[in-house]
């Protein structure tokens, strides 16, 4: 999975539950959004794969259609 930093556009590393940008020295968390309503999707884990479900009536969303956004993550 290629996750690009929202600030500098460089590929980020997956580190213990979140993404880390070595360039910005910042941690980011990934949020999956519905491409139709831009609301956060519920992640359903099954058989090693993750499916995404929109609770606003759009049903299952193919991973290819999911919009991923990254926001600063804090440990606080
Ligand atoms: Zn960055
Ligand atoms: Zn939706």
């Amino acid at each position: 999975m290629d996750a690009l930093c929202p600030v500098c556009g460089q590929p980020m590393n997956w580190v213990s539950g979140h993404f880390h940008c070595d360039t910005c020295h910042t941690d980011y968390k990934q949020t999956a959004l519905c491409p139709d309503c831009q609301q956060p999707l519920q992640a359903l884990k099954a058989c090693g794969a993750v499916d995404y479900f929109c609770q606003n009536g759009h049903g299952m969303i193919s991973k290819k259609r999911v919009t991923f956004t990254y926001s600063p993550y804090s440990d606080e």
Side-chain angles (χ1 to χ4, degrees):
M1 181 193 306
D2 254 13
L4 300 182
C5 174
V7 174
C8 68
Q10 296 298 308
M12 295 187 287
N13 297 311
W14 176 254
V15 183
S16 61
H18 59 266
F19 286 97
H20 181 79
C21 178
D22 287 336
T23 306
C24 302
H25 302 288
T26 305
D27 293 330
Y28 295 96
K29 65 178 180 325
Q30 183 188 64
T31 304
L33 297 181
C34 175
D36 295 325
C37 63
Q38 308 301 313
Q39 294 301 304
L41 294 169
Q42 184 179 359
L44 306 172
K45 290 179 182 148
C47 303
V50 180
D51 290 322
Y52 295 93
F53 183 79
C54 175
Q55 295 174 302
N56 296 301
H58 298 112
M60 299 294 294
I61 307 292
S62 161
K63 195 174 177 186
K64 289 178 189 151
R65 296 186 60 228
V66 171
T67 303
F68 290 108
T69 62
Y70 302 93
S71 51
Y73 172 94
S74 112
D75 282 326
E76 299 175 310

